[in-house]
Amino acid sequence: MKEIKIVTRDLTLHYGQKMALNSISIGIPEKEITAFIGPSGCGKSTFLRCLNRMNDLIPGVHINGEILIDGLDIYQKKIDVVNLRKKIGMVFQKSNPFAKSIFENIAYGPRINGINNMKKLTEIVERSLKNAAIWDEVKDRLHDSALGLSGGQQQRLCIARTLAVEPEIILMDEPASALDPLSTSKIEELIFELKKNYTIVIVTHNMQQAARVSDYTAFFYLGELIEHGRTRKIFTAPDIKQTEEYITGRFG
Amino acid sequence: MSIRIKNKLIGGTIVASSAFSVVLIIAVIIIILIVTIIGGKEKLSWEFLTSFPREGMMEGGIFPAIYGTALLVIIMSIAAVPFGAITAIYLSEYAHEKSWLAQTIRFAVRTLATVPSIIFGLFGLGFFIQFVGTGMDKLFLGGQLRWAQPNLLWASLTMALLTLPVVIVSVEEAIRTVPRELREASLALGATKWQTIRKVVIPGSISGIMTGTILAVSRGAGEVAPILFTGAAYSLATLPTSISDQFMNLGYHIYVMSTQSSNVDKTLPIQFATTLVLLMLTFTLNLSAVLIRSRLRRRMK
């Protein structure tokens, strides 16, 4: 068992009066892939967005409980959200490249961190694109618009853009849900590769995907964490009946 | 009467009324164009555009009016666009939808947009000239008269107030077309809110900011009432050389020629030609605003 990177204790989240997450306590191990599964509206994406404080942007959200990353409570007042987000990258459901060139998309993060040396930027861009397994496809057109890439390429570009900031954790919110099977399998291979260096949390509604790529799986239902454990165990011998019913496709 | 016939009747009435309005509007535009072109084409020439009026405006050109109008809209834009854009950014990026400040600003913007333009003129006279101008003269010039009279600066600032709502509304609309996903992408990479606005939101809405500016300029170029008391001059022998000078203006020039000339009939061709110039100017500006905006809308889809 590896070190636990992220710990949440009794994390409860309200949208206005409505409770969206109820007392979630979980430990997410370092340099492993943890998948969050569950039917739509179960709170898995909301929970993911708590981990890099993306929910701060939504008015009316109120959070209780603790999230510790490397033992540090990220909802403490003195935490700098901007620095936190540099440490915790995020890949979104819909690929969202900027209307800039491929190069500038990747260089965006390093640039806002004050890196302006062209040689250094070029190095970072090349390394990030290679690590995101898209270098060969784009190396001859780095200065073309990123919007000209296919959906799958755009999503790998977004992953490369995240890698360029050198995070420790990467959160992925249904990163392949809008992609065709071939692009999906490329993304999955990539996620598997990335696990060597990064702690990865992936939200997916595709159970085969969770089973294929993840080491640990957490099953959410109606804002509660129902079960969490080794993926192999969750998918073969879950302890809780609801988990089994969901996994075998009886609801969701 | 069966429902089908009734529906057809209602549909037909609606189509017919719309068609009628469209035809009417187009007819009015065409008539205005034809009349001004026929009346003004004799006069319209390079010389007309580049020379001073002569013989009590009955001869010569309208260069000072074109020059004055250009200066007016330039200074007006310098004043209105930054303030308008910053307000729009505040409203869409920083203010909570329900905060009292945001609601107050929105209410003020809406109200400002409905105020008749002559009121702006009176406000400019009272506020800029009599209050600010007199104060400046007392403070800096020991009571010597310089700023407490109509001039280019006060007219431009009055016009800027008038066009501020146009700028705010169109910039805000443009900023809202920048998808939330892009802001989130930027923030998730560790960008601050201001970096996100500067590097993602503003570049993404630059065409809207341009549209707003052009619409404001076009409005400012055509309005006369706000500058009546605040800076426009009847007739000047020289071009303005400082912001504390008065200036001539296309719209005001038409008014002066048609009401104040000693021989209105003799100025008619010049009036038509001046009208044509003003129309062309505002048409071109509006057309470019429409084109930029339609490009923006296409990109949104």
Side-chain angles (χ1 to χ4, degrees):
Chain A
M1 182 87 187
K2 297 196 177 166
E3 295 264 321
I4 299 294
K5 186 81 176 167
I6 308 171
V7 175
T8 75
R9 289 196 195 120
D10 294 325
L11 187 83
T12 300
L13 181 144
H14 287 86
Y15 281 118
Q17 296 298 310
K18 195 178 153 280
M19 185 187 277
L21 292 174
N22 184 9
S23 196
I24 310 282
S25 299
I26 192 173
I28 294 171
E30 190 175 20
K31 292 186 184 168
E32 300 268 20
I33 301 170
T34 301
F36 293 170
I37 61 169
S40 300
C42 67
K44 56 192 191 298
S45 285
T46 306
F47 183 59
L48 189 79
R49 292 168 66 95
C50 288
L51 303 179
N52 66 344
R53 294 190 53 176
M54 228 38 190
N55 286 328
D56 289 15
L57 307 174
I58 299 166
V61 165
H62 188 74
I63 291 170
N64 290 103
E66 282 187 320
I67 300 179
L68 308 175
I69 291 181
D70 293 332
L72 214 67
D73 183 354
I74 62 164
Y75 276 88
Q76 257 175 26
K77 275 222 174 69
K78 63 174 189 211
I79 289 286
D80 178 359
V81 184
V82 168
N83 276 329
L84 177 79
R85 293 200 185 118
K86 283 174 187 160
K87 194 167 143 182
I88 309 170
M90 187 166 211
V91 176
F92 296 83
Q93 178 173 8
K94 213 176 117 199
S95 60
N96 51 4
F98 301 124
K100 302 174 191 283
S101 69
I102 292 169
F103 185 94
E104 283 303 325
N105 262 278
I106 309 295
Y108 185 89
R111 272 190 203 278
I112 56 175
N113 283 321
I115 300 174
N116 280 313
N117 180 327
M118 229 22 213
K119 194 164 160 264
K120 192 114 195 269
L121 282 177
T122 312
E123 264 172 44
I124 296 175
V125 168
E126 180 172 343
R127 187 181 63 225
S128 308
L129 288 168
K130 277 181 176 158
N131 288 341
I134 189 178
W135 173 251
D136 290 333
E137 291 158 67
V138 301
K139 65 177 183 231
D140 299 322
R141 48 171 173 153
L142 289 178
H143 296 284
D144 291 0
S145 169
L147 301 179
L149 298 173
S150 74
Q153 288 173 327
Q154 284 190 9
Q155 194 61 300
R156 277 179 286 146
L157 179 82
C158 290
I159 294 176
R161 185 174 65 183
T162 304
L163 298 181
V165 189
E166 298 179 4
E168 295 168 21
I169 301 168
I170 301 177
L171 309 175
M172 297 188 172
D173 190 357
E174 304 194 25
S177 68
L179 302 179
D180 60 88
L182 192 67
S183 305
T184 301
S185 76
K186 278 190 184 157
I187 298 267
E188 286 179 8
E189 276 168 37
L190 172 59
I191 294 171
F192 207 76
E193 268 309 299
L194 292 175
K195 150 177 142 166
K196 286 179 200 151
N197 298 309
Y198 304 92
T199 304
I200 294 175
V201 185
I202 176 172
V203 163
T204 176
H205 59 217
N206 177 336
M207 274 177 291
Q208 285 77 30
Q209 186 169 66
R212 277 194 302 264
V213 300
S214 71
D215 304 298
Y216 291 84
T217 296
F219 171 58
F220 287 78
Y221 185 57
L222 298 178
E224 304 206 18
L225 175 62
I226 305 294
E227 191 169 354
H228 172 223
R230 282 254 171 215
T231 297
R232 210 179 319 118
K233 177 162 187 307
I234 296 276
F235 276 89
T236 51
D239 291 331
I240 294 169
K241 194 154 170 286
Q242 269 170 317
T243 315
E244 190 193 341
E245 283 178 348
Y246 181 69
I247 282 166
T248 52
R250 241 168 285 168
F251 77 93
Chain B
M1 216 185 327
S2 83
I3 290 196
R4 250 189 71 208
I5 297 179
K6 212 168 160 183
N7 273 341
K8 272 198 167 164
L9 221 67
I10 294 173
T13 317
I14 291 174
V15 171
S17 335
S18 324
F20 177 73
S21 323
V22 171
V23 169
L24 196 69
I25 291 166
I26 292 176
V28 169
I29 294 174
I30 290 175
I31 290 170
I32 290 177
L33 271 179
I34 289 177
V35 169
T36 45
I37 289 172
I38 290 176
K41 71 172 190 304
E42 302 280 290
K43 265 283 154 203
L44 199 59
S45 66
W46 183 246
E47 203 234 324
F48 178 73
L49 295 177
T50 54
S51 63
F52 271 67
R54 278 180 280 120
E55 318 285 329
M57 297 179 208
M58 284 175 279
E59 291 292 331
I62 53 165
F63 181 67
I66 296 176
Y67 185 77
T69 306
L71 282 184
L72 174 77
V73 296
I74 290 169
I75 300 173
M76 174 206 79
S77 313
I78 293 172
V81 173
F83 274 108
I86 289 168
T87 309
I89 289 171
Y90 169 76
L91 283 176
S92 59
E93 299 295 312
Y94 286 95
H96 282 281
E97 202 54 38
K98 294 202 173 71
S99 80
W100 67 267
L101 183 57
Q103 285 190 331
T104 312
I105 294 176
R106 275 177 214 284
F107 175 75
V109 168
R110 273 198 299 274
T111 314
L112 206 59
T114 62
V115 172
S117 50
I118 190 72
I119 310 291
F120 279 98
L122 290 171
F123 173 81
L125 175 66
F127 180 73
F128 289 123
I129 297 176
Q130 295 188 338
F131 179 69
V132 182
T134 309
M136 280 168 69
D137 283 348
K138 274 197 188 131
L139 219 61
F140 305 122
L141 299 168
Q144 194 191 333
L145 183 70
R146 173 149 191 221
W147 294 105
Q149 53 190 350
N151 67 28
L152 188 54
L153 178 66
W154 302 141
S156 304
L157 292 184
T158 308
M159 199 64 101
L161 284 180
L162 177 88
T163 53
L164 200 55
V166 182
V167 179
I168 293 176
V169 169
S170 39
V171 174
E172 198 188 348
E173 191 192 330
I175 287 176
R176 287 191 191 280
T177 65
V178 176
R180 193 173 56 109
E181 288 86 1
L182 291 187
R183 291 161 219 253
E184 289 190 338
S186 170
L187 293 169
L189 290 167
T192 61
K193 192 162 186 171
W194 174 238
Q195 285 171 326
T196 303
I197 291 172
R198 203 158 47 90
K199 295 190 151 200
V200 175
V201 176
I202 293 179
S205 52
I206 196 74
S207 55
I209 296 172
M210 275 164 61
T211 316
T213 312
I214 295 171
L215 284 176
V217 166
S218 133
R219 176 106 198 262
E223 282 280 353
V224 174
I227 58 171
L228 270 183
F229 316 118
T230 53
Y234 240 58
S235 167
L236 293 170
T238 54
L239 296 174
T241 53
S242 132
I243 51 169
S244 63
D245 287 344
Q246 284 195 292
F247 62 100
M248 290 177 72
N249 172 277
L250 281 171
Y252 190 51
H253 195 59
I254 297 171
Y255 168 77
V256 169
M257 281 189 295
S258 57
T259 60
Q260 315 288 310
S261 166
S262 53
N263 189 344
V264 173
D265 285 345
K266 272 189 88 176
T267 65
L268 260 182
I270 303 187
Q271 285 183 44
F272 275 121
T274 311
T275 310
L276 198 57
V277 171
L278 186 56
L279 273 181
M280 286 306 154
L281 183 70
T282 48
F283 274 6
T284 319
L285 287 170
N286 277 313
L287 190 68
S288 47
V290 167
L291 290 179
I292 294 175
R293 185 170 280 190
S294 76
R295 215 183 62 194
L296 182 81
R297 295 245 162 87
R298 261 207 314 280
R299 199 195 60 192
M300 240 179 94
K301 288 170 195 159

